[in-house]
């Protein structure tokens, strides 16, 4: 006679594994509540290459919220009102200085370019206007805000569609 494991024990085991980070490490843990985790903590707790924006740049509500946040966090002061450039590089073309994937962009804004380079990232693109990106990980209130800002930036992308999320894997 086969005995079944009570549902409560299964839920308790899943909860225990989730709180230790084991499930997230293998991709089985549900996404964290981004509104409750700082960008710096998310970067620290997530393996390189595993950060992915939960928002699509086609979601008008998220893009509008991201635009407000882009301005409120003063991103527009350096990168222009819609990310088209100013005293710092544009964020709307197909030149991604460190790479255009979600993980790299999130880490770049959070850590700043100097710390990103210390973690092994190298410049892969060059712009005419280049200055160091300051770290905003302690300035941006939570990871949800940063993901919305990045969705807003992507919504204004006007470069080659093949490079919207960085260099295509086939060309790396």
């Amino acid at each position: 006679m086969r005995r079944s494991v009570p549902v409560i024990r299964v839920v308790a085991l899943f909860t225990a594994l989730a709180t230790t980070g084991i499930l997230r490490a293998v991709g089985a843990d549900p996404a964290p509540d981004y509104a409750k985790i700082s960008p710096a903590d998310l970067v620290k707790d997530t393996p390189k290459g595993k950060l992915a924006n939960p928002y699509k740049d086609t979601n008008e509500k998220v893009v509008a919220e991201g635009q407000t946040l882009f301005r409120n966090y003063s991103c527009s002061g350096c990168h222009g009102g819609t990310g088209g450039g100013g005293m710092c590089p544009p964020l709307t073309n197909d030149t991604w200085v460190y790479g255009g994937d979600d993980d790299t962009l999130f880490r770049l804004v959070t850590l700043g370019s100097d710390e990103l380079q210390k973690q092994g990232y190298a410049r892969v693109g060059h712009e005419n206007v280049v200055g160091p990106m300051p770290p905003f990980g302690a300035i941006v209130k939570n990871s949800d805000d940063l993901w919305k800002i990045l969705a807003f930036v992507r919504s204004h992308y006007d470069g080659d569609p093949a490079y919207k999320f960085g260099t295509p894997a086939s060309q790396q």
Side-chain angles (χ1 to χ4, degrees), residues 53 55 61-63 65-67 69 143-153:
N53 197 334
Y55 299 114
K61 180 179 181 260
V62 167
V63 168
E65 289 176 33
Q67 180 176 20
L69 293 165
S143 296
D144 195 60
D145 282 2
L146 183 48
W147 284 129
K148 288 175 180 175
I149 290 169
L150 293 175
F152 163 72
V153 167

